[in-house]
């Protein structure tokens, strides 16, 4: 009698089945590799933003200390940003080499400048800072002094009551005269 092959085929000729533990180990290694690449990209973004931040130092050194409009700093989040003030910041573009200077408005985010060059973004930020400072000056500048409001009290009319009485008497006499004329005509 010949032996029938077992339910499986020859173990030496087939690759060993992958165990879940081995698959998990392989997936974890791949995820760590991807995470390392993402971290490297984020570090590169932060480094580029730090270069821009250092290039902006001379500009912000000229801003008077009494002006507190600008809060410059780099935020490390999912998307690193170099904040200029509360509504404007620089973020790296999709290719991680282009700077995008954007401003948040009530109508959405608008791009104020976009360039690969640090100098172009520094110029755009300089223009933005100057416009914001002028807006601030106009907002707090005293306008023409308002005229003092002098409240005038209405004059009391003397005899206002007596004028009313005189008008009432004259009206009554006119009606009496009209009624008298109408009765005389009918006679």
């Amino acid at each position: 009698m010949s032996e029938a092959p077992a339910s499986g085929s020859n173990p030496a000729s087939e690759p060993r089945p992958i165990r879940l533990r081995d698959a998990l180990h392989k997936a974890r290694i791949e995820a760590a590799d991807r995470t390392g690449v993402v971290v490297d990209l984020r570090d590169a973004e932060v480094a580029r933003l730090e270069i821009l931040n250092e290039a902006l130092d001379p500009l912000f050194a000229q801003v008077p200390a009494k002006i507190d409009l600008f809060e410059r700093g780099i935020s490390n989040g999912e998307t690193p940003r170099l904040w200029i003030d509360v509504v404007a910041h620089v973020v790296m573009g999709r290719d991680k080499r282009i700077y995008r200077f954007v401003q948040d408005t009530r109508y959405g985010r608008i791009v104020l400048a976009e360039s690969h060059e640090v100098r172009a973004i520094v110029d755009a930020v300089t223009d933005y800072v100057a416009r914001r400072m002028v807006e601030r000056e106009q907002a707090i500048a005293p306008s023409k002094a308002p005229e003092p409001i002098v409240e005038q009290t209405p004059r009391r009319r003397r005899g206002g009551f007596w004028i009313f009485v005189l008008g009432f008497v004259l009206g009554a006499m006119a009606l009496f005269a009209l009624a008298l004329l109408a009765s005389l005509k009918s006679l």
Side-chain angles (χ1 to χ4, degrees):
M1 283 197 168
S2 70
E3 284 185 15
S7 61
S9 57
N10 189 358
S13 64
E14 257 186 51
R16 190 176 119 212
I18 297 177
R19 294 185 352 204
L20 180 59
R21 179 183 296 165
D22 295 336
L24 283 172
H25 180 69
K26 183 179 174 183
R28 286 186 181 124
I29 290 172
E30 290 172 357
D33 289 342
R34 282 192 305 267
T35 303
V37 169
V38 169
V39 168
D40 289 343
L41 286 174
R42 188 171 299 132
D43 289 344
E45 281 183 81
V46 171
R48 286 180 166 269
L49 291 173
E50 286 174 350
I51 290 169
L52 178 62
N53 193 22
E54 289 174 6
L56 289 171
D57 282 341
L59 167 67
F60 284 97
Q62 296 174 18
V63 175
K66 64 181 180 178
I67 296 178
D68 58 354
L69 287 175
F70 308 105
E71 293 293 327
R72 189 171 52 124
I74 296 175
S75 65
N76 291 319
E78 186 176 323
T79 304
R81 294 182 171 121
L82 170 60
W83 290 94
I84 304 303
D85 63 7
V86 177
V87 295
H89 62 275
V90 178
V91 65
M92 299 306 296
R94 287 191 170 189
D95 66 351
K96 309 301 183 203
R97 291 178 295 183
I98 191 166
Y99 295 98
R100 297 181 81 201
F101 181 39
V102 297
Q103 180 182 19
D104 295 326
T105 66
R106 70 175 86 171
Y107 304 112
R109 184 171 286 169
I110 58 172
V111 178
L112 299 175
E114 191 170 46
S115 176
H116 291 286
E117 300 294 323
V118 172
R119 185 83 236 141
I121 299 300
V122 168
D123 291 343
V125 171
T126 302
D127 291 342
Y128 175 79
V129 167
R131 284 193 311 271
R132 291 287 303 210
M133 289 175 65
V134 168
E135 289 172 0
R136 178 185 180 273
E137 288 172 2
Q138 290 174 347
I140 63 172
S143 59
K144 184 178 167 183
E147 296 290 326
I149 299 174
V150 178
E151 197 172 312
Q152 295 180 355
T153 57
R155 284 194 219 167
R156 293 191 57 185
R157 293 186 183 164
R158 293 188 175 203
F161 174 74
W162 295 113
I163 291 175
F164 173 74
V165 171
L166 179 63
F168 182 76
V169 170
L170 288 176
M173 287 175 51
L175 281 176
F176 180 72
L178 188 63
L180 183 64
L181 279 175
S183 68
L184 287 176
K185 279 187 181 180
S186 64
L187 284 179

